[in-house]
Amino acid sequence: MTRCFELALKGAGQVSPNPLVGCVIVKNGKIVAEGYHKKYGEYHAERNAINSAVKKGINLKGAELYVNLEPCAHFGKTPPCSDLIIEHKFSKVVIGVKDPYHEVAGKGISRMKKAGIKVITGVLDEEAEELNKFFFKFVSTGLPYITIKAAQTIDGKIADDKYRSKWISSTESRRTVHKLRSVYDAVLVGANTVKYDNPKLNVRDVKGRNPYRIIIDKDLTLKHGYNVYKYADGKTIIITSLNADISKIKLLQKKNIIVLPCKIRNSKIDLADALKKLAAHNITSIMIEGGAFVYNEFVKARLVDEMLIFIAPDIMGSGIMAFSDKKGFKDFSSVNYYTSGRDILVNLRK
């Protein structure tokens, strides 16, 4: 099962909104084939592993199949994996965790058991669920998994009085952030972060695909000369008001930018409505990268699943605090600490 996890991670950043899945086939006590889900819309892990075995001329009758997530039982972009497993007469299937997606949800397990296959579930199930935390949240709630990422000084500042915030964290921490960007479907910032930092919000210095770039700009006040408006890949999304200027919206759309007008609550973007609209675009995970106003609004709305706070051993004195409201912080019961270059990374989880 641990090997299944290793294989599954090879698909990170490529398979969303599908889950990360790895598969190992064992016969006569030896691993004879492996596979993983490589890209959304392509074959699942089980089929890739089975195809690999077949190409080697291996008869799979009586073999055992290990997979970190329940094999599917429905026709999607590919045929059901459970049917293929039955067809090849496997004797046993070992599963990390059941699939919560309503089209599967135990149906794959039931189908294989009815065919006489011994099915074992719950092997390293907590690790298996952690591996697919984005997918589990998305299919269970219809909302993306939300992580706040912040870099601050030891006295809690994310920027000075002039909103300058670059290079608070170490080189190692910044590299970690780029790796995270390649895994999350999207990164999100507020209009002020674009205005003062002019971030690119892309992946640099590491391998991986660029995420969607989401900017909250309620009144469409930002000029189009900032870096986030220069991409032509159709992966920039502007969250704005339902009352936003139609002419401004059309101009953005001509630049191949996605505009999502959202409801307003208490003179601010209704974040729950925004997340529902983003989920409709199959965005299963979002990393929020600034600024303080956006951080606090998401926390107060209790929409955050995880926080990653990089704390640098510096003192800024006066400046912008990352968090100014205690509401919502009681949601986080799990706390872990790691070193990241000269920084400390604090991980808060629900």
Side-chain angles (χ1 to χ4, degrees):
M1 192 57 64
T2 300
R3 179 58 181 160
C4 289
F5 297 160
E6 293 172 354
L7 291 165
L9 283 169
K10 292 184 177 183
Q14 304 297 327
V15 302
S16 181
N18 281 355
L20 297 165
V21 183
C23 179
V24 173
I25 295 174
V26 173
K27 189 166 186 182
N28 299 324
K30 294 182 180 180
I31 293 176
V32 295
E34 297 179 334
Y36 67 97
H37 187 26
K38 296 180 179 180
K39 192 174 182 180
Y40 177 67
E42 296 184 0
Y43 285 152
H44 292 177
E46 301 93 321
R47 188 172 293 271
N48 281 331
I50 289 171
N51 287 347
S52 175
V54 170
K55 285 181 181 178
K56 296 175 184 176
I58 298 168
N59 184 345
L60 294 174
K61 184 177 181 180
E64 300 171 358
L65 183 143
Y66 295 76
V67 64
N68 58 284
L69 190 68
E70 177 184 358
C72 63
H74 66 292
F75 282 88
K77 291 187 177 293
T78 58
C81 292
S82 55
D83 287 356
L84 186 66
I85 292 167
I86 293 168
E87 177 187 330
H88 282 276
K89 296 180 169 55
F90 281 85
S91 63
K92 183 169 73 173
V93 173
V94 179
I95 299 168
V97 68
K98 293 181 181 180
D99 191 335
Y101 182 50
H102 67 91
E103 291 278 11
V104 187
K107 296 174 185 176
I109 292 170
S110 177
R111 188 174 296 183
M112 291 185 293
K113 283 183 175 180
K114 286 180 180 178
I117 296 173
K118 182 179 180 181
V119 179
I120 298 172
T121 61
V123 176
L124 298 181
D125 54 345
E126 290 184 4
E127 292 89 337
E129 190 168 343
E130 170 67 17
L131 176 70
N132 276 305
K133 60 186 179 182
F134 299 163
F135 174 75
F136 274 61
K137 166 79 182 293
F138 187 70
V139 299
S140 299
T141 68
L143 296 174
Y145 188 96
I146 304 297
T147 297
I148 281 179
K149 186 282 297 181
Q152 66 179 49
T153 56
I154 203 166
D155 58 342
K157 306 301 192 303
I158 59 172
D160 64 17
D161 290 329
K162 294 182 180 179
Y163 295 92
R164 293 175 297 193
S165 63
K166 287 188 177 182
W167 318 134
I168 286 178
S169 56
S170 66
T171 300
E172 292 85 351
S173 295
R174 294 197 295 274
R175 181 178 289 272
T176 296
V177 170
H178 283 276
K179 287 180 180 177
L180 288 167
R181 284 180 183 173
S182 72
V183 172
Y184 279 77
D185 286 345
V187 294
L188 181 150
V189 296
N192 279 341
T193 297
V194 174
K195 181 179 178 180
Y196 292 109
D197 288 354
N198 193 21
K200 294 179 180 178
L201 302 181
N202 61 358
V203 173
R204 303 184 295 278
D205 301 324
V206 297
K207 290 183 179 180
R209 64 96 166 90
N210 284 317
Y212 280 90
R213 301 163 294 274
I214 305 170
I215 299 94
I216 298 179
D217 186 6
K218 181 171 74 76
D219 300 313
L220 297 182
T221 58
L222 286 173
K223 296 179 181 179
H224 297 180
Y226 295 106
N227 288 323
V228 290
Y229 294 98
K230 296 178 181 178
Y231 297 95
D233 56 4
K235 295 183 74 173
T236 297
I237 300 175
I238 307 297
I239 301 293
T240 190
S241 162
L242 286 171
N243 301 319
D245 189 317
I246 296 299
S247 62
K248 289 184 177 181
I249 291 175
K250 288 182 178 179
L251 184 60
L252 288 166
Q253 291 172 334
K254 285 182 180 179
K255 295 176 177 288
N256 201 26
I257 292 172
I258 300 168
V259 182
L260 298 182
C262 298
K263 297 176 184 177
I264 296 296
R265 183 186 294 272
N266 298 325
S267 301
K268 304 168 188 174
I269 292 292
D270 185 330
L271 296 177
D273 184 52
L275 293 184
K276 288 177 184 177
K277 287 181 167 65
L278 290 166
H281 283 262
N282 279 333
I283 291 177
T284 70
S285 58
I286 301 172
M287 185 165 67
I288 301 171
E289 295 203 39
F293 176 79
V294 175
Y295 292 155
N296 283 280
E297 288 302 305
F298 269 92
V299 171
K300 285 191 291 184
R302 287 181 158 80
L303 293 171
V304 181
D305 298 288
E306 185 173 357
M307 299 182 76
L308 295 168
I309 312 298
F310 293 88
I311 302 175
D314 295 314
I315 294 176
M316 189 171 288
S318 61
I320 309 300
M321 295 288 292
F323 303 99
S324 58
D325 199 313
K326 294 181 180 180
K327 293 178 181 178
F329 273 92
K330 290 182 180 179
D331 294 345
F332 304 103
S333 57
S334 172
V335 183
N336 287 291
Y337 306 89
Y338 310 92
T339 56
S340 179
R342 69 188 193 117
D343 306 331
I344 294 173
L345 170 58
V346 181
N347 179 218
L348 304 175
R349 294 281 294 272
K350 284 186 174 181

